[in-house]
Amino acid sequence: MPLPKGPYMGTFNPMKNSEKAPNDYKLAISKLKVTLKQRGMTYRELGQAIGLSESGVKKIFLADDGSFLRLSQIAKFLGLSLTELVSDQRTTNVGFSDKQQNEFLNSPILFKLFWLLVYERSDLSFAKKELSLSTTEAFKLVRKLDLLGLVKLLPGERIIVPSIKAVSWKGSGKFVEKLYREWTSQMMSQIAKPESEEGELFIFRYVQMSSKTYAEFISAQRALEAEFLRRSIREMQLMPSDLKHVRWLVASDNKSFVTGKALDQQ
């Protein structure tokens, strides 16, 4: 899931990585405001319904951050779920610049730290342990990521990272090509076996299809992937206690395993 370029939307403190990102709060408030407007409901009426004063409701809606428990209460009254409030399902096209790719090629551990912080939402202490980094080494790398515009390092050892959202990789480059080769090969070497272990799925198949059926097959695979990507983004935003690492690789073409050619080329 590549990194979105643009404003630093999500935040976490390396010492406390369980707080909701302020952008999620603002997103929820924005959707609640739209819902209230659509239903012609005032802050006073909402307050009366949930046991708050009009000024108390205004304070919630004007804040930059606040309690998601209170937002959940408001959402429940309006017939919404917290998931609906914090989910931004627009897919963003993203990619790394040439400079960013060159830095990752020169320093593989820089990319690993970036991945742990941004994609796996790990705190810095965990990343340091996994990568065997000293505190000094870790912050030199974080500073490098900051200079590359990939994260933002603030006083007090706080790091701002992009918000969790659905993204689509666009573009190429030596680092991207290297990453695709290495990580897909690594994954296949670990799970490509006749008997899958618990928590694994590996399907290896050859068939022949008409052009129409093959096009429908590809379309169905894209739709299935998009649906579970949306669901995973929602869950990562809400951070339930049973989140698991999941990696998947979807690949298909219309060629022979033996000749590497399509039927009309043989």
Side-chain angles (χ1 to χ4, degrees):
M1 188 173 62
L3 172 70
K5 292 181 179 178
Y8 300 101
M9 301 293 289
T11 66
F12 72 86
N13 186 318
M15 301 302 294
K16 187 176 182 182
N17 195 23
S18 60
E19 298 176 341
K20 274 290 175 184
N23 74 295
D24 288 344
Y25 185 87
K26 290 181 179 179
L27 177 62
I29 288 295
S30 176
K31 292 184 178 181
L32 286 173
K33 286 180 178 179
V34 171
T35 301
L36 290 177
K37 184 175 181 180
Q38 290 173 339
R39 300 184 185 183
M41 181 176 288
T42 65
Y43 287 161
R44 176 177 295 179
E45 291 170 334
L46 176 61
Q48 290 173 343
I50 63 174
L52 287 178
S53 65
E54 181 178 2
S55 61
V57 173
K58 286 183 178 179
K59 185 176 180 180
I60 292 172
F61 277 75
L62 292 175
D64 290 330
D65 198 1
S67 169
F68 272 76
L69 292 177
R70 179 63 76 182
L71 293 191
S72 180
Q73 180 186 8
I74 296 173
K76 184 177 180 180
F77 170 73
L78 295 173
L80 303 172
S81 69
L82 189 57
T83 298
E84 291 175 292
L85 293 182
V86 301
S87 294
D88 182 356
Q89 299 306 325
R90 294 170 296 178
T91 299
T92 304
N93 294 332
V94 299
F96 292 118
S97 68
D98 290 342
K99 182 177 180 180
Q100 291 165 347
Q101 292 198 54
N102 287 334
E103 290 291 345
F104 287 148
L105 281 171
N106 293 330
S107 178
I109 199 168
L110 180 67
F111 177 74
K112 291 179 180 179
L113 178 62
F114 162 76
W115 182 274
L116 287 174
L117 295 178
V118 174
Y119 294 125
E120 298 193 10
R121 318 306 279 192
S122 302
D123 61 34
L124 190 57
S125 60
F126 175 84
K128 284 164 52 181
K129 181 179 179 181
E130 288 297 303
L131 300 176
S132 300
L133 295 171
S134 67
T135 298
T136 300
E137 291 170 332
F139 274 95
K140 282 183 178 179
L141 293 174
V142 171
R143 173 56 63 188
K144 174 69 73 173
L145 293 174
D146 175 70
L147 293 174
L148 289 170
L150 295 171
V151 304
K152 191 169 184 180
L153 181 61
L154 300 179
E157 300 184 356
R158 293 182 61 243
I159 303 171
I160 299 180
V161 298
S163 61
I164 300 170
K165 62 172 62 179
V167 298
S168 177
W169 187 273
K170 298 296 180 183
S172 60
K174 291 183 178 180
F175 172 74
V176 175
E177 293 167 0
K178 180 175 182 289
L179 182 68
Y180 278 13
R181 286 195 308 269
E182 290 183 354
W183 280 20
T184 55
S185 296
Q186 177 193 74
M187 182 177 177
M188 285 297 95
S189 68
Q190 293 174 353
I191 70 170
K193 47 186 179 287
E195 297 294 332
S196 296
E197 298 178 8
E198 184 177 355
E200 294 180 347
L201 173 65
F202 176 68
I203 300 175
F204 177 77
R205 198 175 303 283
Y206 168 82
V207 296
Q208 293 184 4
M209 299 179 180
S210 67
S211 296
K212 180 176 181 296
T213 298
Y214 182 64
E216 292 174 350
F217 171 73
I218 295 297
S219 178
Q221 293 295 318
R222 293 185 186 279
L224 181 65
E225 198 271 346
E227 167 60 21
F228 280 89
L229 177 60
R230 284 193 293 268
R231 289 169 62 173
S232 68
I233 294 299
R234 288 197 297 266
E235 292 180 343
M236 289 176 70
Q237 290 170 334
L238 294 175
M239 296 179 66
S241 60
D242 63 340
L243 283 179
K244 301 178 182 297
H245 287 304
V246 177
R247 55 182 181 173
W248 71 73
L249 169 66
V250 181
S252 176
D253 66 11
N254 57 354
K255 297 178 181 178
S256 162
F257 277 118
V258 176
T259 67
K261 299 178 181 179
L263 274 174
D264 58 7
Q265 295 176 327
Q266 295 179 353

